[in-house]
Amino acid sequence: MSANDARWEIRQTLRARNFEPDLHDAERYIGDLKVGHQTVRVSIEVRDLSFCALPRVHIQDRGSVSWDVLAHTQSETGICYGLKGFYSLDPAQPGAAIVRVLEDSAKTLLRSSKGRGPNEVAQEYAAYWGGPDYAIYSARPWSSKMNSFERLSTANGPRFLLAEAGTKVPAGYSRLKPRFCVIEISATARPARGILVPMTLSQLLDWLEALEGTGSIRRSVIEAVADGMGILIAAENGNYGAFFDLPTSLTRIKNPRRRFLIDQISKSANEVGLTQIRGTPCDLESITMRSLPRNTKTLSDFSVCLVGCGAIGGHLVRLLCQLGAGSKKSLTIIDPDTLKSGNVGRHALGFSYIDRPKAAAMAEELLKLHPDISVVAIQAQATDLRANIMRHDIIVDATGVENVSCLLNHWFREQGAPVSKKALFHSFLFGHGVAAQSFANLGNEFACFRCLRPSRNETWRHDPRKSDAQNDQPLDTGCGDGAFLPYGPYAGTAAASLTAQHIHEWIQGVRRHTLRTLIIDSERGKHVKPNTPPKVPDCPGCA
């Protein structure tokens, strides 16, 4: 559909609903929305015919709407009628798209007209509170005081940080005033006593008392203002901060006694302005939990050892950190090699790390992910590190070297760890990136890694390759470089993702399907159902 045809269809659709073009703006229309038994005068702006930027709907006169609290509004009058990133309109049917926008806008207003505005505002209260974001670097529960920091121009990271006293913040931050007093409330932050967002100290005190109903909060806030501090309100639905601007009548008083200043601030609370800030947790545990379903267990309570930091392991270890590895317990990376220029094409590390030990370089990269990750890098052969490797709760074999995998399998089986406490996961690819497999080595009552191929004269028991793909041989690049398997960067990341999900499900208590397969090349691979292979009699690994 041409742009002219789309504009014509939109214009005709809106006119059919008694919307007329704005005389000063051809892409803006004004008309009435039916909201229950009322009508609300609104405007709709259609700037982007692809609908990548959604049409904007605004209430023309906020005073004409009798409801105290309007939910899902932007800049007082803009109606947020759909979830950002999930609301989709079809540019091939622009008329129907506009009808949908108007109907959803009316539904949004109707919920507010029925008194549901305060509850819905509470779900997105941070958007109403506004102000710059302060990243909270300390994990909850917090102490009653926090320091504020600003990033230096030469550093990277969030511009503002809040952290408890004694917390070692990342390099590149300078201490600021004010400090912040933490006010814990058990209630949900929401409009109260007709106050959508408090704009003065007096409103803030009334708002807090309406939410929490205790006089001690009032005293704590006023004392914080007298001490030159801001406050951080820790509520169920977010963290809302403010710092205060005292009126000239108070700032002119030289060296006032604290008790006197507290009394004067209390008396002139309606003259004390405030500037809002929003507190967003950025500690490692909060960042880990942010993307996961509620009540999900993470790797934070497990010590993890990754053996092999190559095309699979480099991507896998980052995923493990994002699932909590290195948060409370240690994360160890073991690899004997340095990064070569030829590795960069499919490794998680880039050009700047060439000729660096893979393990140390990956540890450095992980600290960019979050500076609180506890990671130890070891450049050595895994065969020399039995005690170090076996002390971990979760061991991940990403070497892709069958003999090393079998040795780790042997050590793990000899240890006889209970299935609920320890696990060894093997992550590997077949041939030239045909398929990836992840195998959970869970203890002596289950099949071991050698059970997948008890004899080197046989093929793998659950080989995902078709018969014409059995001859996937490595390229001979000479004795100096050794053999090389050509496959695209997607193969290593696919194997890493498969194993990361496998590990994450194991810590949730999901023990089914110790072997999982992902076909990467459908022309050369064949489907292998997730399964738990039985033990093989006379398996060398089990014996």
Side-chain angles (χ1 to χ4, degrees), residues 413 416-420 441-448 532-535 542:
R413 307 299 280 201
V419 64
S420 61
N441 209 331
L442 298 183
N444 292 337
E445 64 267 40
F446 291 87
C448 76
T532 299
K535 297 176 72 171
C542 292

Side-chain angles (χ1 to χ4, degrees), residues 174-253:
S174 62
R175 177 89 170 266
L176 290 177
K177 289 184 178 181
R179 296 179 69 203
F180 282 79
C181 173
V182 178
I183 306 290
E184 294 265 2
I185 63 173
S186 57
T188 299
R190 54 189 291 160
R193 289 189 184 173
I195 302 169
L196 179 62
V197 174
M199 303 305 294
T200 66
L201 175 59
S202 177
Q203 288 185 352
L204 178 68
L205 296 172
D206 289 343
W207 178 75
L208 281 171
E209 285 184 348
L211 293 178
E212 196 70 4
T214 62
S216 60
I217 287 184
R218 183 182 188 91
R219 291 192 299 272
S220 298
V221 173
I222 293 175
E223 288 174 359
V225 178
D227 294 336
M229 301 176 68
I231 63 164
L232 180 69
I233 302 159
E236 288 184 346
N237 59 332
N239 309 291
Y240 309 96
F243 48 91
F244 303 92
D245 305 309
L246 296 180
T248 306
S249 59
L250 293 180
T251 57
R252 284 178 177 175
I253 303 174

Side-chain angles (χ1 to χ4, degrees), residues 474-486:
L475 298 180
D476 184 2
T477 56
C479 294
D481 262 350
F484 172 71
L485 283 169

Side-chain angles (χ1 to χ4, degrees), residues 289-366:
M289 291 301 301
R290 169 66 174 80
S291 301
L292 301 175
R294 288 186 178 181
N295 301 319
T296 298
K297 294 180 181 178
T298 70
L299 287 171
S300 61
D301 292 324
F302 296 84
S303 61
V304 179
C305 178
L306 177 86
V307 183
C309 192
I312 296 174
H315 296 287
L316 179 52
V317 73
R318 182 182 180 92
L319 294 175
L320 297 178
C321 284
Q322 291 174 314
L323 291 170
S327 176
K328 295 178 183 177
K329 293 192 174 183
S330 66
L331 166 66
T332 301
I333 306 173
I334 298 172
D335 195 290
D337 297 328
T338 58
L339 187 76
K340 302 301 182 184
S341 58
N343 301 142
V344 173
R346 62 189 187 193
H347 203 280
L349 297 171
F351 182 87
S352 62
Y353 290 106
I354 290 175
D355 290 337
R356 293 273 308 278
K358 288 181 180 177
M362 198 67 230
E364 184 177 317
E365 190 67 18
L366 292 175

Side-chain angles (χ1 to χ4, degrees), residues 14 259 307 395 412 471:
L14 287 167
R259 183 69 262 169
V307 183
I395 304 158
F412 184 74
N471 295 319

Side-chain angles (χ1 to χ4, degrees), residues 3-23:
N4 286 336
D5 288 344
R7 290 191 182 94
W8 181 87
E9 185 172 321
I10 290 170
R11 187 179 306 114
Q12 295 304 112
T13 300
L14 287 167
R15 280 181 171 168
R17 289 182 168 245
N18 298 318
F19 276 73
E20 294 296 329
D22 188 320
L23 295 178

